Amino acid sequence: MITFVGAGPGAEDLITVRGQRLLGNADIVIYAGSLVSPALLSWCRTDCAVYNSAEMTLEEVLEVMTKGAREGKEVVRLHTGDPCLYGAIREQMDALEQEHIPYEVCPGVSSFCGAAAALGAEYTLPGVSQSVVITRLAGRTPVPERESVRSFAAHQATMVVFLSTGMLGRLSEELIAGGYAADTPAAVVYKATWPEEKVLRCTVGTLEETAEREHVTKTALIVVGNILEGEYERSKLYDPSFTTGFRKA
Ligand code: SAH
């Protein structure tokens, strides 16, 4: 069996119990070495064969997976955070399906959740924002024009921007062009949940200088929105005057 496992955002104990068990049973682990902490490999058996996919092509990854699966081995493909976000798993799953090799996915804690924890933030505050936009700027991978940061900014919803730390000047311009005031609260969260985590609070207009000052050039998330500071309404769910299925007002 092949299992795609979410490694979590960094700290080795932020993998799920199931993910840890799968790592402990694995004969072969292919991990995304650019972002998955090697500390996660401490859950593997000492005789487990470990491959770093940062140095491999898709074809090479598939070869290790299919060979392992055909030999009846337990194969874990370890992706950072949760594999459903920018994980490039669809192309792997499709190739396995073509070869009639079964696979499963074990979810993980995405880095956008790790960043919220580091910030002590709730992304969905009543009266402020009830939506989270997860997006990125176009880099070598294009982003469809209809999904521009500028167009999402018009909603003033909480925004978490992946894969864009090297382009923060452009990110500020897009956010402001879309309607965010330059003084809207923002944050750069570097390596959330890793020992070297940095939480840099700033504004939409000061993203680039903030990251530069702290020498943050990659492995960061940009969080934008008024949920980071200021007023909000208390929840209805826990309001004494509000009846729910479980509690009378
Ligand atoms: N599947 C992953 C995202 C992979 S894309 C997830 O669910 O988190 C890689 C990008 O994720 C990085 O460029 C960075 O923007 C972000 N990232 C991953 N781990 C991070 C962490 N611990 N702290 C901050 N950003 C992180």
Side-chain angles (χ1 to χ4, degrees), residues 11-12 20 36 63 72 99 111 138 156 173 175 179 184 198 204 220:
E12 67 264 33
Q20 181 190 358
V36 172
E63 196 183 320
E99 301 287 327
S111 60
Q156 308 274 302
E173 281 169 27
L175 289 166
T184 305
K198 283 185 191 176
V204 162

Side-chain angles (χ1 to χ4, degrees), residues 9 35 80-82 85-86 110-111 162-163 189 191-192 194 219-221:
L35 278 166
T80 182
D82 186 281
L85 291 173
Y86 310 109
S110 176
S111 60
F162 284 69
L163 294 161
V189 184
K191 287 204 156 182
W194 291 62
T219 326
L221 288 172

Side-chain angles (χ1 to χ4, degrees), residues 220-232:
L221 288 172
I222 313 308
V223 179
V224 178
N226 288 310
I227 57 104
L228 288 172
E229 234 177 80
E231 300 296 308
Y232 59 93

Side-chain angles (χ1 to χ4, degrees), residues 45-225:
R45 297 196 317 258
T46 48
D47 64 339
C48 174
V50 176
Y51 296 82
N52 179 357
S53 65
E55 297 156 357
M56 298 162 79
T57 62
L58 170 62
E59 286 72 15
E60 289 167 340
V61 168
L62 288 169
E63 196 183 320
V64 173
M65 281 181 171
T66 49
K67 185 167 174 286
R70 291 206 170 105
E71 289 170 359
K73 296 189 167 151
E74 293 294 330
V75 182
V76 167
R77 176 72 171 103
L78 191 61
H79 281 277
T80 182
D82 186 281
C84 77
L85 291 173
Y86 310 109
I89 56 165
R90 185 71 260 168
E91 61 195 22
Q92 299 174 67
M93 298 190 292
D94 283 345
L96 294 175
E97 265 165 40
Q98 267 183 9
E99 301 287 327
H100 307 289
I101 295 175
Y103 61 83
E104 274 180 5
V105 180
C106 170
V109 178
S110 176
S111 60
F112 83 90
C113 302
L119 286 160
E122 178 176 347
Y123 288 149
T124 52
L125 280 180
V128 183
S129 174
Q130 290 290 288
S131 314
V132 184
V133 176
I134 289 171
T135 189
R136 62 170 298 171
L137 280 180
R140 278 185 292 181
T141 303
V143 173
E145 178 50 39
R146 60 181 181 277
E147 295 178 20
S148 65
V149 162
R150 185 184 295 233
S151 66
F152 287 138
H155 296 276
Q156 308 274 302
T158 304
M159 203 182 274
V160 184
V161 187
F162 284 69
L163 294 161
S164 304
T165 318
M167 305 176 265
L168 294 184
R170 177 146 69 92
L171 181 61
S172 289
E173 281 169 27
E174 285 283 303
L175 289 166
I176 292 167
Y180 271 116
D183 63 356
T184 305
V188 178
V189 184
Y190 170 72
K191 287 204 156 182
T193 81
W194 291 62
E196 57 270 46
E197 168 186 290
K198 283 185 191 176
V199 176
L200 312 173
R201 291 179 190 267
C202 58
T203 64
V204 162
T206 60
L207 284 168
E208 189 173 38
E209 61 191 74
T210 303
E212 267 176 13
R213 192 176 57 237
E214 297 286 333
H215 311 290
V216 171
T217 57
K218 56 181 182 175
T219 326
L221 288 172
I222 313 308
V223 179
V224 178

